[in-house]
Each structure stands twice: as C-alpha cells, then as structure tokens.
Amino acid sequence: MATRRMTRSEQLQQTIMYPVDWLEERSGLVGGLRYFLFRKVPGDINWFQTLGSATLTAFIVQALTGVILAMYYKPDPNSAYDSIQHITNDVFAGWLVRGMHRWGASVFIILMFMHMGRVFLFGAYKYPRELNWIIGVLLLASGLGEGFTGYLLPWDQTAYWATVVGININGTAPFLGPFLAQFLQGGTYINADTLSRFYAIHMLMIPGAIAALIGLHLYLVIRLGVTSPPWSKEAAGTGPLNGASPNGRATRTGLSRFRRGR
Amino acid sequence: MPSDRIVERRRVFQQYKADVKERGKPFYPFAMFHDTVMSLVVVAVITGLAIVWKYSTPGDHIGTDPGWLGKLYDDPADPGTINFVPRPDWYFYFLFYLLRIFKWPNSVIIGTIGLPTVLLVLLLLVPFIDIRSERRLLRRPVAIVASVLVVVSMGVLTYKGATAKESLGSELVAKVPGWAKAANFTANKQAVGGAHLFAVSGCLNCHTYQGTGGGFAGAPNLTAEGAKNKGVQFQIDHLKCPACVNPGSPMPSFAGLGEANLKKLASFLEASKGTK
C-alpha cells in the first residue's frame, strides 16, 4: 500500500515536472534561473544596493505604459496634439497611463543618477567592474536621449519650441553637429517628418539599445557579483573571519603595501 | 609579467569570490525581498505622481491650467505664432542654465557642447582614472571632493534653471512706447509695429533689449543692432534662416511670421541705434 502511494506521488511529480524538464533539457533555462535566484551575494549588502533593480523597475514601467500609449498616439503634426488630448481625457485610464509615463521618466532619470552615485561612493566601479560602469554611463546617456526625444511628442508649444532650440544647439557642435541636427530633423528644418522621426527614435531605436545594454549590465552583475559596502567589517574579499583583522579588508589590499612601504 | 598591483587585485577578487561562496547568502529570498519592496515603492511613487498631476489640475481636471505638477498639456504647437519659452524638462535645466552663462559667439559652444562632452568623457573614464583598489570613502579624498563638487554644481544649475524668469509677451508690450522713445523711432510706424512683434514673439527669451530679456544661449544684445547698418534685407534674411547668414547660430527660423511681419521686425531692428 505504502509503495503504491509513493509510486503515485512520484508519478504526479513527474507529470508536473515534465514541462520543466522538457524546457531544461532543450534550453538549460531552468538551471540558469536557478543559478540566478540561488547564487550567493555578500551577507552584508544593504538597501542602497536596491537602487539598480529600482531603476530597472522604472524602465519596465516606461516600456509597458509606452506600449499602451503607442496604441493611441498618432505621430503626425496634424493629429498628435489631438491624440494626446484624447488619451488624457477620453481613453479609459489614459490619463493614468500617460501620467505614469510622463512622471516615470523623471523617476527613471533620478534613479539612474542615484544608482550611479551609490556605485561611485561604494567604489564599486573598480576592478573587475570597470566595463559595467561604462555600460551604465551609456545607459544614462540613452536615458537622457529618451527624455529629449519624448519631450517633443505631445506637440504642444512647450514641446515644439524646446525641441527647436535643442536641435539647434546640437547643430552648433563642431564637425558632427550639422549632421546630427539634420538626422534628428529629417531635413534642414524641423518639419512634418521630424515628429515621426523622433517617435521612431524614442520608441524603437533608443529603447532597443537600452534593453540590450541592460541585458549586458545584468549579465556582468551576475558574473562578477555584488560588492560589500566598503565600511563593512565582514566585507567579502577580507578572507576568513577570525576576529584578527579589525580593519576589515584594508589590511589585505593596496593599503597593506602602503603600510609596509612606510 | 603583470605588475604587483594587478597581481594583488586579482588575488583580492579571488578572495571575494571565495568569501561570498563561503559566507554569502542566497539572492533569493534575502536580496530579492529588498529589491521587491523597493520596486513596489517605485511603482507607487510613479502612480501617485500621475494621480496628483491629474487631480490637482483646476476645474474638471482636463484643461491647460497648471496644477501642482504643471500643465497636463500646453496649447498646440504653432510654428507661426512664435511666443514661446524654450524650456526643456527639468533634468536638462543644468544644461539649459549653462547657456545663460556662456556668451555668443566665442564661448557659447563651451556651454552647449564642450562642457557636456568633457563631463561625459570624464564620467566614462572614472574607473581608469581611479585605479586604486581602496573603496572606503574616507580614504578617497579626491573622490569625495569631486562628488561634492558635481552634486553642488548640478544642484545649483538645476535650481537656477528652474527659477530663471521668462518675461511674458503681454508685460513686454507695455514697454514698447518706452523703447521707441529711448531709441527715437516713435514716428516710424513700421518700427513700432516691429517692436510689438519683438515683444510678443519670444525674442526676449534669449536676446536682451534696453536692459530687458533673457541673455540665453549667448544671444546678443540688440539695443544697438541698427547701428551696425546691416540693412533691412539682411535682417529679413537672417530672421528667415539665422544659420544661413550666421553659420552655427542656434536661433530658430522666424519665417513663419510672414513677409509683412518680418519687414516690420527688420525695420525695428534697423531703427534701434542704441539709446542716448
């Protein structure tokens, strides 16, 4: 009797796990997810180190609300403004989605700066994480690019004239400036194609780049690990904890040679 | 043969990996719990801002009147009527204000392109400038000074950009008779009409005229523009396409005003030979 029940629960388990095993056998994704979730991180990480994932969340909010807005927005000078009014005043919860996209942009930018500040103050950009800092700076620049291109889309007076001057300022750059201005405008002047061009850059080109860069960024975070806070007495990199090293890792890094040299 | 520094930092990283393996904790559930809480806070803040933006708008929450977080939308874009305030979103205010510090034509490029490019390159190079392995802040004085300087200067520039005043066209129109009198063109109907257009078309958001105006993007003072005697036709051509006449000028085209209005504006500029 006991044997039969065992067999049955085993069969049940096997049936439930079959799709998971099927996926694992063909892709290795389950193992990858397991590695991601159960990989070890230093025991002393703190709340400041959630700013990166908070930034990712803000980006996901932008992506989702952006897709919904794209379903109603019309990137054409004759109808863009009306479609924004339609979204804000008529579409169900359109004001909420547009408001979240508009203010999510600010939150995204603030979080990027805060995350960068955290990494800087923790010295977390140092060997072997230099490359991830560079990817982060590129993400910051792309995020600001999203802010610049998205600002034109409501096609109201503020948007239009801020962008005219913004493009003209890009145009003053030596060598590349005129080409950049022409690329952004789709011509020598701001014209009917400029709006759809900004729309394409805003919702296809830069978000694609950002998504790819975030993928690389996370890959490097997982590969290289998260740093301990620099002040931590039990920071990873200190070696086994035996209470003999009140200064934490400092006695073992460059500073020890500095002291010996003195 | 790698240097001592490289050998040492490789050793520390191997030690880091060994330590994490030995006494770290799994990402799930510990770190993931923190991340989830923080992400929920982010979504809540974004949603809250959207709600406040909508429901602090006066009336039935759909108009162009500003609420606590500003207008839901401005009036429709109109390339023809040029009464505008070229103001970017708040996170560009620090760049925006740089344009008031550097003056056309010699140094404006430092503010628009030079400084931002240098800062971006410096930011990219941070890990290669600071190659020591020391991470504790109190032992990184240069890093402390640099970060304080960056935060303070960006904060001040953002604040100055946010509080920079733009005059309204309606207030500026009241000054037209005074301008005409000081520059002695009261009898010139074309020029007085041009002065009205000048006041309402947003010119003073960048230019200065008889002590009024923005001084933005290095735009020159036009009080004595007429004294250069460039001629009405030059002024019209310049208003139509500033960068064609004056290569590299960031001034937008005012061709949308129409030929008759451009002629008035040009007469006004030519009549402005300074005050005595």
Side-chain angles (χ1 to χ4, degrees):
Chain A
M1 199 60 183
T3 330
R4 254 192 81 200
R5 262 217 324 258
M6 271 289 279
T7 320
R8 223 179 239 168
S9 75
E10 271 173 10
Q11 273 177 342
L12 189 67
Q13 202 176 353
Q14 223 170 17
T15 317
I16 293 170
M17 289 304 286
Y18 182 79
V20 178
D21 290 339
W22 189 93
L23 190 66
E24 170 64 8
E25 191 182 347
R26 282 157 186 82
S27 68
L29 282 176
V30 180
L33 181 68
R34 192 173 292 143
Y35 176 79
F36 170 75
L37 285 177
F38 299 107
R39 78 202 141 100
K40 292 281 187 66
V41 293
D44 49 4
I45 56 168
N46 70 14
W47 280 96
F48 291 113
Q49 283 157 296
T50 62
L51 287 168
S53 65
T55 314
L56 176 62
T57 303
F59 177 72
I60 293 170
V61 168
Q62 291 307 93
L64 294 179
T65 52
V67 167
I68 298 173
L69 289 175
M71 293 172 181
Y72 294 95
Y73 177 74
K74 297 179 180 62
D76 166 54
N78 295 321
S79 36
Y81 184 78
D82 292 340
S83 72
I84 290 285
Q85 276 195 319
H86 177 60
I87 290 168
T88 315
N89 301 332
D90 307 333
V91 175
F92 172 73
W95 62 270
L96 182 65
V97 174
R98 182 176 165 234
M100 286 180 74
H101 198 73
R102 195 237 173 282
W103 291 102
S106 293
V107 170
F108 180 53
I109 303 253
I110 291 175
L111 284 172
M112 277 197 294
F113 274 108
M114 285 172 68
H115 175 52
M116 188 173 75
R118 196 284 293 174
V119 169
F120 184 80
L121 296 179
F122 274 37
Y125 53 85
K126 295 178 181 231
Y127 175 88
R129 302 183 179 84
E130 299 98 324
L131 188 58
N132 224 13
W133 171 270
I134 292 174
I135 295 172
V137 175
L138 296 180
L139 277 166
L140 179 71
S142 313
L144 290 172
E146 281 291 82
F148 178 68
T149 48
Y151 201 60
L152 176 68
L153 303 185
W155 203 250
D156 57 12
Q157 284 286 69
T158 325
Y160 182 83
W161 291 107
T163 306
V164 169
V165 175
I167 291 177
N168 287 347
I169 286 170
N170 277 316
T172 61
F175 312 119
L176 281 178
F179 296 103
L180 186 61
Q182 187 141 359
F183 170 72
L184 285 171
Q185 287 168 159
T188 324
Y189 290 106
I190 195 162
N191 59 57
D193 290 336
T194 311
L195 182 58
S196 48
R197 185 169 287 241
F198 266 57
Y199 184 57
I201 296 172
H202 181 78
M203 63 162 298
L204 293 170
M205 198 177 101
I206 303 182
I210 290 182
L213 287 169
I214 288 179
L216 269 177
H217 204 64
L218 288 180
Y219 165 73
L220 287 180
V221 167
I222 293 164
R223 182 186 162 86
L224 301 172
V226 185
T227 53
S228 288
W231 60 80
S232 172
K233 296 261 195 294
E234 54 200 75
T238 333
L241 288 178
N242 48 20
S245 163
N247 266 337
R249 62 190 289 280
T251 51
R252 280 160 224 272
T253 54
L255 208 65
S256 59
R257 281 184 296 118
F258 170 72
R259 285 199 178 133
R260 261 187 272 124
R262 200 172 52 166
Chain B
M1 185 71 191
S3 72
D4 283 0
R5 187 173 60 76
I6 290 174
V7 170
E8 171 67 6
R9 71 187 190 185
R10 280 183 188 152
R11 191 195 64 72
V12 172
F13 185 59
Q14 291 310 317
Q15 184 68 58
Y16 161 87
K17 285 206 280 198
D19 287 353
V20 170
K21 204 168 184 180
E22 195 180 321
R23 53 191 160 87
K25 56 189 184 185
F27 173 73
Y28 174 86
F30 300 100
M32 189 139 171
F33 168 71
H34 285 181
D35 284 338
T36 309
V37 171
M38 193 65 174
S39 294
L40 290 175
V41 170
V42 167
V43 176
V45 167
I46 294 174
T47 313
L49 286 166
I51 292 172
V52 171
W53 192 35
K54 166 89 172 168
Y55 284 99
S56 67
T57 300
D60 46 5
H61 318 306
I62 54 172
T64 51
D65 293 328
W68 296 342
L69 294 176
K71 296 173 183 180
L72 289 171
Y73 34 74
D74 204 348
D75 296 323
D78 185 352
T81 56
I82 309 187
N83 182 11
F84 70 100
V85 180
R87 187 177 273 276
D89 213 350
W90 67 268
Y91 40 82
F92 287 117
Y93 280 174
F94 71 101
L95 286 176
F96 170 74
Y97 199 76
L98 275 181
L99 301 183
R100 288 176 185 262
I101 294 175
F102 295 98
K103 298 295 176 200
W104 182 264
N106 300 321
S107 67
V108 71
I109 208 161
I110 298 174
T112 53
I113 306 294
L115 219 51
T117 307
V118 168
L119 287 176
L120 186 67
V121 169
L122 273 180
L123 201 58
L124 280 168
L125 290 181
V126 160
F128 306 101
I129 297 168
D130 179 14
I131 52 171
R132 299 184 315 149
S133 57
E134 179 59 65
R135 295 202 297 122
R136 283 170 306 170
L137 205 51
L138 288 177
R139 291 171 196 265
R140 294 162 60 208
V142 179
I144 296 179
V145 172
S147 52
V148 168
L149 277 179
V150 167
V151 169
V152 168
S153 55
M154 283 192 55
V156 168
L157 286 172
T158 301
Y159 174 78
K160 299 281 269 182
T163 52
K165 271 220 183 91
E166 267 92 18
S167 316
L168 288 169
S170 51
E171 293 164 17
L172 294 170
V173 168
K175 298 193 175 202
V176 169
W179 291 345
K181 206 168 167 198
N184 198 21
F185 60 74
T186 314
N188 186 341
K189 282 279 175 292
Q190 279 283 76
V192 174
H196 268 278
L197 277 169
F198 184 76
V200 300
S201 300
C203 306
L204 287 164
N205 288 320
C206 299
H207 292 282
T208 34
Y209 188 80
Q210 294 191 15
T212 307
F216 175 67
N221 185 337
L222 297 177
T223 312
E225 177 66 18
K228 298 173 190 164
N229 288 319
K230 289 177 177 171
V232 170
Q233 194 52 47
F234 170 88
Q235 298 296 357
I236 291 176
D237 291 344
H238 179 263
L239 286 163
K240 277 185 185 164
C241 178
C244 307
V245 185
N246 195 354
S249 167
M251 178 170 150
S253 164
F254 284 73
L257 288 175
E259 203 67 40
N261 284 332
L262 288 177
K263 195 156 187 202
K264 284 186 195 165
L265 262 178
S267 321
F268 158 70
L269 289 170
E270 283 304 299
S272 299
K273 308 217 185 266
T275 54
K276 283 182 192 110

